[in-house]
Amino acid sequence: MAKCRHYRARHVTSTHTTSVHFPHLFAGAPPMASGADRISDLPEGVLHHILSLLPAQDAVRTCVLAQSWRHHWRSAPAVRFAGCTGWAGGVYTFGPFVDGLLRARRGGAPLDSCDFDLDVDLDLGRYDVPKMERHVNGWIRRALRRQVRDLRFRVSVTPRLPCALEDRPLASEHLTRLELVGVKGNAGVLDFSCCPALEDLRMEDCDVGSTEMHSPSLKRLKIRYCLFYCNFRTGMSFPSLVSFEFITNAGRVPMLESMPSLETATVRFDHFYDDRCSNGRLDDCGDASCYGCLYYYAPDDYDCVFLEGLAEVTDLTLSAYPDLYVFTRDLEWCPAFSKLKTLVLSKWFVSDELSALIWFLHNAPLLEKLTLKPSKVGSNLMKTVESCKPLEQSIAASHLQIVEIICKDVDEILLKILKVLKANGIQQEKIRIQCSARYNFVSTEVQTE
């Protein structure tokens, strides 16, 4: 990416037009060309598309190519702001350029997309932080006033520090897609009720900073590597959601409300969560100083924390460490997964006598494909399978077409899984086992007796 020299922005307003000058962007540039060329003869829509692919500072520079190019950059449907670190003066000189460009849009031309991809090096002191945050919050508001439909805001601050957003809602009737990376949200920002057209939200490496997230219109949601509160649960209400990804986040497991339109969901909890008993138990350990199990499970009037919100899903992947307390407790209160057809269970289902596996076999009547990825667990989480044999045959057996088991070895856990499947009426010819990606064989080759 081309590095820009130091510049200053000057706005001159007349009764007819607003001109913006960025003199240092053009130092050493060739004289304005005369006459037309093949590129200039392209349709205006094609030229705007080309300019939309360039960083904003390069798009502005094209005004020196020819007389006809003087104002093309003002109407490009997409703007890409990349930099800060590469500018002399950093965010404090980059800021006026962004402000000036957004104000100079021809006739208030709306934006299809606006992309902020910023690297900020705050090496001048702690007073840099509020100055930077005032800049970036202003940029987001200006982009929304330009009726942007697709807004991506990524900020990487050195040293690592999330950029705090203003505690007021993002209000736009036009915004359909929003991506936030490296920011700190709050109750105002994460209530998307004022964005009635918003359908796609992606958050990565963010501090959530709110006990509620809400959008009546959202259809696709991805939350990755984000930090939730460690002593409060964040309520999430997305009644129109179709696709949901919740990957490797930290803090308390959030409380999901019902999502009746949900089709696909991928959930993965690694060890960066607070819902684990300090005494290694899956039930109430009785230790008043332990905040990982019963104490923070759920409010008295909310029995199921997470899984109930996924109950309408068709395609589900659930992965968590075996000591995740919430999933095991949720199964006591969760309704049946009446639409579920494809299910992948990783790690956590092995704990507590394989109770999660048995639960889904009895509460997913339309299940067609089941994939199991077991892992080793401590003896206090894995008991003998003999004590939890079901009293009646699984209702999933009638529709289940294939069960895949992906594991490292033919070990005790695998044998117990096979016993559970057999006890629940799953025929052996429907079971396939893959060990360490080297062997594939049907379950009849493994002796379960």
Side-chain angles (χ1 to χ4, degrees), residues 170 172-178 191-201 213-221 237-243 261:
L170 301 177
S172 172
E173 296 181 356
H174 307 277
L175 187 66
T176 60
R177 182 181 182 274
L178 175 64
D191 180 356
F192 299 101
S193 302
C194 295
C195 297
L198 184 64
E199 295 187 351
D200 194 327
L201 173 63
M213 296 180 65
H214 174 69
S215 171
S217 60
L218 200 66
K219 294 183 177 180
R220 292 169 292 277
L221 174 61
S237 176
F238 301 104
S240 300
L241 211 62
V242 175
S243 174
S261 301

Side-chain angles (χ1 to χ4, degrees), residues 39 42-55 59 62 69 76-77:
I39 295 180
L42 292 173
E44 187 176 47
V46 175
L47 296 178
H48 284 166
H49 178 71
I50 294 172
L51 292 173
S52 296
L53 301 176
L54 297 175
T62 62
W69 282 77

